[in-house]
């Protein structure tokens, strides 16, 4: 038996969680997975530190990524647990916005280097800001 588009829409509306819940869960899951991956493969993330940024870091790019993993996991778990959502979303939104700005500078000055990651991070920053907007309005 096939469903008409309107019946399918109604069925999906009853099955899917509310959009803010999906956004919070997606952002939280991304942060947890990224944080865990930074702990398991910090070299994979350290490649995003270009030569002019490295001197500004207090530690090596590898150690910087290792140090970023646990707080990223903590923020993600907080979002997944629906705890401190406004704080976690603020941290994620600001961090992802700054990261996107950094990647844009690198892309513009290095012939498009990391442009693909910047494009993805634009969406992730938007997601984080949407979660924050929902959290402060709730």
């Amino acid at each position: 038996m096939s469903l008409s588009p309107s019946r399918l829409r109604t069925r999906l509306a009853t099955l899917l969680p509310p959009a803010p819940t999906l956004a919070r869960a997606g952002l939280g899951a991304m942060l947890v997975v990224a944080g865990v991956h930074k702990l398991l493969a910090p070299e994979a993330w350290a490649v995003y530190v270009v030569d002019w940024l490295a001197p500004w870091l207090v530690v090596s790019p590898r150690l910087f990524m290792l140090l970023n993993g646990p707080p990223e996991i903590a923020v993600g778990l907080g979002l997944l647990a629906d705890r401190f959502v406004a704080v976690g979303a603020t941290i994620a939104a600001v961090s992802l916005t700054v990261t996107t700005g950094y990647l844009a500078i690198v892309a513009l000055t290095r012939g498009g280097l990391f442009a693909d990651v910047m494009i993805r991070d634009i969406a992730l920053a938007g997601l984080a800001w949407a979660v924050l907007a929902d959290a402060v309005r709730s």
Side-chain angles (χ1 to χ4, degrees):
M1 168 169 137
S2 74
L3 294 174
S4 68
S6 64
R7 289 189 67 179
L8 179 59
R9 181 180 169 189
T10 301
R11 182 79 174 129
L12 283 174
T14 61
L15 292 173
L16 291 172
T21 301
L22 289 171
R24 180 180 48 75
L27 180 62
M30 183 277 299
L31 290 168
V32 169
V33 172
V36 168
H37 193 254
K38 283 178 181 154
L39 295 175
L40 297 175
E43 297 82 10
W45 294 85
V47 299
Y48 295 107
V49 178
V50 294
D51 56 353
W52 59 262
L53 178 63
W56 289 88
L57 300 178
V58 178
V59 296
S60 72
R62 182 182 185 284
L63 183 55
F64 181 77
M65 296 307 165
L66 285 169
L67 293 171
N68 272 284
E72 200 163 17
I73 294 167
V75 169
L77 289 174
L79 291 172
L80 289 171
D82 201 10
R83 304 280 298 159
F84 313 108
V85 174
V87 172
T90 299
I91 293 166
V94 171
S95 175
L96 286 162
T97 300
V98 169
T99 300
T100 300
Y102 163 72
L103 292 171
I105 292 167
V106 172
L108 290 170
T109 60
R110 299 285 174 96
L113 182 66
F114 306 142
D116 54 338
V117 179
M118 178 202 63
I119 292 165
R120 181 211 55 213
D121 281 1
I122 290 169
L124 290 173
L127 177 65
W129 285 105
V131 171
L132 175 58
D134 181 68
V136 298
R137 289 183 181 126
S138 298

